[in-house]
C-alpha cells in the first residue's frame, strides 16, 4: 500500500486539495493507499479547508469538509513513502527537519511529477480569488494524474 503526504503552509488550501484529488483518483482506479496532508503554520491547526478550496473541489464531486489542518512532524518521514512539498519554502522546512539523507529520499516538489527536476512552486491561492484556486486545482489534478499513472504502471514516483 502506497502512502502519500502533501505539504503546504497552513494545510487549508493546496495540500488538502491535492489530498482530495488523489483520494478520488485512488477510488476511481481501485488503488489502495493512505493519503494525508499537513502544513507548517500552527494558526490553522484543526481548521477545515478554505471555503474556496472546498468550492473548487466540490464542483468536481470532491468533498473536503471532513479534513482538519495539522502540522508536519518528523514522524511523517517514517509513515509516508512520498512527501510532496507545494513550494520551495515547504521543501526547505522539510529539509531542515530531516534527520538524514534517507528522510529526504521520500521528499520532492509536487510539480516535479509533471516537470521533472524543475522544482516549480504551486502558487499559494489564499491571497487571491476563486480563479487562483481553479488554477491550482488544475495543476494539482494534472500532477495527481501522473502519480496515479506511475502507480498503475508500477514505476517509481520520483
Amino acid at each position: 500500500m502506497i502512502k502519500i503526504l502533501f505539504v503546504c503552509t497552513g494545510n487549508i488550501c493546496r495540500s488538502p486539495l491535492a489530498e482530495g484529488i488523489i483520494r478520488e483518483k485512488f477510488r476511481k482506479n481501485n488503488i489502495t493507499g493512505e493519503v494525508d496532508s499537513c502544513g507548517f503554520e500552527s494558526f490553522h491547526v484543526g481548521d477545515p479547508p478554505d471555503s474556496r478550496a472546498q468550492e473548487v473541489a466540490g464542483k468536481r464531486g470532491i468533498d473536503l469538509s471532513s479534513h482538519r489542518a495539522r502540522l508536519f512532524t518528523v514522524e511523517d518521514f517514517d509513515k509516508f513513502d512520498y512527501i510532496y512539498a507545494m513550494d520551495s519554502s515547504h521543501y526547505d522546512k522539510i529539509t531542515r527537519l530531516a534527520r538524514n539523507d534517507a528522510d529526504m529520499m521520500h521528499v520532492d516538489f509536487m510539480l516535479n511529477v509533471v516537470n521533472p527536476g524543475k522544482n516549480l512552486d504551486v502558487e499559494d491561492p489564499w491571497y487571491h480569488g476563486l480563479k487562483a484556486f481553479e488554477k491550482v486545482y488544475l495543476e494539482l489534478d494534472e500532477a495527481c494524474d501522473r502519480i496515479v499513472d506511475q502507480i498503475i504502471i508500477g514505476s517509481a514516483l520520483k
Side-chain angles (χ1 to χ4, degrees):
M1 176 173 69
I2 192 159
K3 297 176 183 176
I4 299 174
L5 180 68
F6 300 103
V7 185
C8 71
T9 304
N11 192 216
I12 61 165
C13 296
R14 293 169 284 182
S15 59
L17 270 173
E19 178 186 349
I21 291 166
I22 204 137
R23 278 186 195 282
E24 182 63 11
K25 291 183 186 304
F26 277 17
R27 186 190 68 73
K28 286 181 177 176
N29 289 281
N30 296 312
I31 297 172
T32 302
E34 183 177 329
V35 182
D36 198 3
S37 63
C38 62
F40 278 105
E41 299 298 334
S42 61
F43 49 83
H44 286 297
V45 169
D47 288 352
D50 184 283
S51 61
R52 296 165 292 179
Q54 290 192 57
E55 181 179 342
V56 166
K59 284 186 205 177
R60 290 145 172 109
I62 299 171
D63 181 7
L64 304 179
S65 65
S66 64
H67 172 80
R68 293 297 175 265
R70 75 168 183 89
L71 294 175
F72 182 88
T73 66
V74 172
E75 292 77 24
D76 288 325
F77 289 113
D78 300 322
K79 187 173 181 182
F80 293 95
D81 302 311
Y82 298 96
I83 300 171
Y84 290 106
M86 294 294 152
D87 67 32
S88 58
S89 71
H90 310 131
Y91 189 89
D92 291 345
K93 288 174 183 174
I94 293 167
T95 300
R96 286 195 295 274
L97 290 173
R99 300 162 293 191
N100 50 48
D101 290 342
D103 283 352
M104 286 307 295
M105 291 192 63
H106 300 268
V107 182
D108 202 357
F109 283 78
M110 180 67 183
L111 293 182
N112 276 353
V113 299
V114 177
N115 302 289
K118 294 200 175 179
N119 300 345
L120 299 173
D121 291 347
V122 176
E123 295 294 326
D124 190 348
W126 193 80
Y127 299 99
H128 307 287
L130 195 58
K131 192 172 187 176
F133 280 82
E134 291 282 353
K135 179 181 182 280
V136 164
Y137 181 94
L138 294 174
E139 286 179 329
L140 295 174
D141 188 54
E142 180 182 11
C144 288
D145 276 342
R146 294 283 176 93
I147 291 169
V148 167
D149 289 346
Q150 290 173 355
I151 292 168
I152 289 170
I153 63 171
S155 68
L157 291 175
K158 284 175 97 172

